[in-house]
Amino acid sequence: MSKYDVIVLGSGPGGYVTAIRASQLGLKTAVVEKESLGGVCLNWGCIPTKALLKSAQVFEYLKHAEDYGLKVENADKDFTAVVKRSRGVAEGMSKGVQFLMKKNKIDVIEGYGKIKPGKKVDVDGKEYSADHIIIATGARSRELPSLPQDGETVIGYRKAMTLEKQPKKMIVVGSGAIGVEFASFYNSMGTEVTIVEYMPNVVPVEDEDVSKQFERSMKKAGITVMTNSSVEKVEKTENGVKATVKTKKGEEVLEADIVLSAVGIKTNIENIGLEDVGIVVDSDKIIVNDWYQTNIPGYYAIGDVTKGPALAHVASAEGITCVEKIAGMHVEAIDYSNIPGCTYATPEIASVGMTEKQAKEAGYELKVGKFPFSASGKASAAGTKDGFVKVIFDAKYGEWLGCHMIGAGVTDMIAEAVLGRKLETTGHEVLKTIHPHPTMSEAVMEAVADAYGEVIHL
């Protein structure tokens, strides 16, 4: 039996990052992976979807070339080639993880892993042992009872990025990040898209101002948005599907080629040995403490299988915290109130901290500032004037409570707010930090200036 200091179950952005950090700390480490290194994120999620969205963005530029004084005749797309490029990007990233495993002398054990009592892992009948076993098995597309996925007419995100033929009409159920990113991609490609959202607002976890702006942008792009609505049933037809949608005004029947179910995720915790070991689970999540220890000594869990936000960067941070604690380092528990969230549709959305509603409900007296990209020189020059930056401060002590952005490239701007909040910066300190001009990022400074009544360009 092979013996390790650490065995990690799963090689997504939680698992492989955890393994690398463990190896850096001198721990003999192995990773168990049943499919491709990099997990869902690199192979079927974060990375390939961004490749699809980049193709869509370039196609939008071609279609609107005249807006920039350019002429492009007969701009067209090759849907198969777009999908192929996305798969190539994913494969390249997975090979990059293979390289990192070799570089860091981490053993990759291929196969289906199940944990066993006595700090052991069974991989397709072969047994391995470790002092510390870390579960990082991630999640998959969740299925609604009224919307079972058959992989043909009702599909999940995985199938949505490898369709052989572009659908003429698509219904997207759910308007979280996954739903709106695919809606944005297929709409840009020329598919007629309808979004059905159960909640009153699209991207419902975001600040209400962002949700409203995003809905306006989607409608402007030609996407039909149905909020306060739910898909009650889907029937196959000769040409595709017929979906019965319950709305506030009554039932409506929609016809389409395909339905994409994007109603969240389901954790991969079945058949991995949790019951055999006695690890406690609550509502689909493994219960852990601040250092990701389960109730059974020597067994840990990180990423989507635990109660934190199901985000790649959160899984990576949890894994690093977990193994640094195992190695005896002094580490801080992760502050889950300062986790950035990003949505890569058109326009992009990025946020961190409290929404205005949450801050009011928490009893804060607020200073709120907003700066629209329509007043930004860089946004005007780029032809991307939709959106804004919104900041929320505690009026009494100047604490930066939240930051919410919608617009072109804002996912690359949110880290300023995350770092500022981590360092406990105040509004006045942001205001006195010189931002380069012309940039999209100076909208952060301008929004702060608006909150404090000192805005120049509004």
Side-chain angles (χ1 to χ4, degrees):
M1 185 193 300
S2 299
K3 177 77 163 51
Y4 294 91
D5 296 317
V6 172
I7 293 177
V8 184
L9 212 59
S11 74
Y16 86 77
V17 169
T18 302
I20 290 171
R21 187 66 184 123
S23 182
Q24 287 175 345
L25 293 167
L27 301 170
K28 186 183 178 187
T29 306
V31 163
V32 180
E33 176 53 58
K34 67 182 176 66
E35 200 173 344
S36 303
L37 285 172
V40 167
C41 180
L42 264 68
N43 295 285
W44 298 102
C46 329
I47 304 305
T49 51
K50 303 311 157 286
L52 292 174
L53 286 161
K54 186 63 185 180
S55 292
Q57 183 190 52
V58 173
F59 190 41
E60 287 289 344
Y61 274 132
L62 291 174
K63 289 188 285 184
H64 296 95
E66 287 191 8
D67 294 347
Y68 298 88
L70 304 172
K71 286 187 178 180
V72 176
E73 292 182 8
N74 303 318
D76 202 359
K77 84 282 182 186
D78 180 341
F79 185 76
T80 303
V82 167
V83 171
K84 186 179 178 183
R85 174 183 179 269
S86 145
R87 300 314 310 149
V89 170
E91 285 163 17
M93 295 298 293
S94 185
K95 285 176 183 174
V97 177
Q98 288 177 29
F99 165 77
L100 290 173
M101 295 295 101
K102 287 179 184 174
K103 179 190 171 190
N104 289 281
K105 298 179 174 59
I106 297 162
D107 288 347
V108 177
I109 304 167
E110 295 181 2
Y112 190 94
K114 291 180 76 170
I115 60 172
K116 297 178 72 177
K119 299 182 185 177
K120 294 178 182 136
V121 176
D122 177 276
V123 184
D124 296 335
K126 191 172 180 183
E127 214 166 75
Y128 303 84
S129 70
D131 294 327
H132 309 278
I133 295 168
I134 303 172
I135 301 161
T137 47
R140 61 187 184 277
S141 180
R142 185 162 71 95
E143 291 191 47
L144 292 176
S146 62
L147 206 60
Q149 297 174 21
D150 62 10
E152 294 177 7
T153 51
V154 180
I155 61 171
Y157 62 80
R158 190 160 174 157
K159 185 69 176 176
M161 64 182 76
T162 55
L163 286 177
E164 292 174 10
K165 185 182 176 186
Q166 182 185 345
K168 289 192 174 84
K169 287 186 178 182
M170 172 183 273
I171 298 166
V172 178
V173 184
S175 71
I178 294 171
V180 298
E181 286 181 15
F182 277 114
S184 191
F185 166 70
Y186 277 101
N187 176 67
S188 291
M189 289 286 108
T191 297
E192 191 180 313
V193 177
T194 299
I195 293 176
V196 180
E197 170 55 52
Y198 180 75
M199 301 295 282
N201 296 315
V202 291
V203 285
V205 300
E206 300 295 343
D207 186 89
E208 199 170 312
D209 286 351
V210 169
S211 293
K212 287 176 178 175
Q213 172 64 53
F214 189 72
E215 184 170 337
R216 285 194 297 272
S217 295
M218 296 224 102
K219 287 178 176 176
K220 183 177 165 186
I223 295 171
T224 301
V225 178
M226 300 173 71
T227 51
N228 289 306
S229 303
S230 59
V231 174
E232 297 299 296
K233 64 176 179 178
V234 174
E235 301 169 86
K236 284 188 181 182
T237 64
E238 281 186 23
N239 301 317
V241 290
K242 194 161 63 174
T244 303
V245 180
K246 185 180 176 184
T247 72
K248 278 195 166 181
K249 296 175 183 176
E251 286 192 344
E252 194 173 326
V253 176
L254 305 178
E255 292 192 2
D257 300 316
I258 206 162
V259 174
L260 167 60
S261 178
V263 290
I265 58 168
K266 168 84 176 67
T267 57
N268 294 322
I269 60 171
E270 309 94 337
N271 303 314
I272 60 168
L274 297 181
E275 301 84 358
D276 298 339
V277 176
I279 290 172
V280 174
V281 174
D282 180 40
S283 299
D284 200 35
K285 302 278 188 178
I286 298 172
I287 302 301
V288 294
N289 64 12
D290 286 348
W291 316 117
Y292 310 99
Q293 297 163 329
T294 68
N295 62 304
I296 305 296
Y299 295 84
Y300 310 76
I302 62 156
D304 295 359
V305 296
T306 64
K307 65 180 178 180
L311 299 166
H313 43 284
V314 173
S316 298
E318 289 174 347
I320 290 169
T321 300
C322 178
V323 291
E324 287 183 346
K325 186 71 174 178
I326 286 170
M329 293 177 65
H330 174 72
V331 290
E332 283 181 31
I334 290 173
D335 175 8
Y336 285 94
S337 71
N338 198 31
I339 303 289
C342 295
T343 301
Y344 300 83
T346 302
E348 291 184 350
I349 298 170
S351 59
V352 66
M354 292 183 183
T355 64
E356 184 175 354
K357 183 182 177 185
Q358 288 168 341
K360 282 177 179 173
E361 288 173 350
Y364 288 101
E365 185 185 338
L366 305 179
K367 284 188 181 293
V368 178
K370 190 190 280 190
F371 189 79
F373 286 120
S374 57
S376 159
K378 179 68 179 291
S380 293
T384 53
K385 296 197 288 183
D386 273 6
F388 56 82
V389 173
K390 177 178 179 178
V391 293
I392 302 160
F393 288 91
D394 169 32
K396 190 173 182 181
Y397 297 111
E399 182 186 355
W400 198 346
L401 299 174
C403 184
H404 308 273
M405 308 176 177
I406 178 168
V410 295
T411 57
D412 293 322
M413 290 166 49
I414 194 64
E416 174 178 354
V418 181
L419 181 61
R421 282 165 44 79
K422 171 71 175 174
L423 299 177
E424 299 182 354
T425 195
T426 64
H428 285 292
E429 288 172 327
V430 178
L431 194 51
K432 297 304 179 185
T433 300
I434 298 171
H435 286 60
H437 175 79
T439 58
M440 298 290 279
S441 64
E442 64 189 323
V444 177
M445 178 187 70
E446 296 277 16
V448 175
D450 184 48
Y452 284 88
E454 299 178 26
V455 67
I456 300 292
H457 291 102
L458 281 182

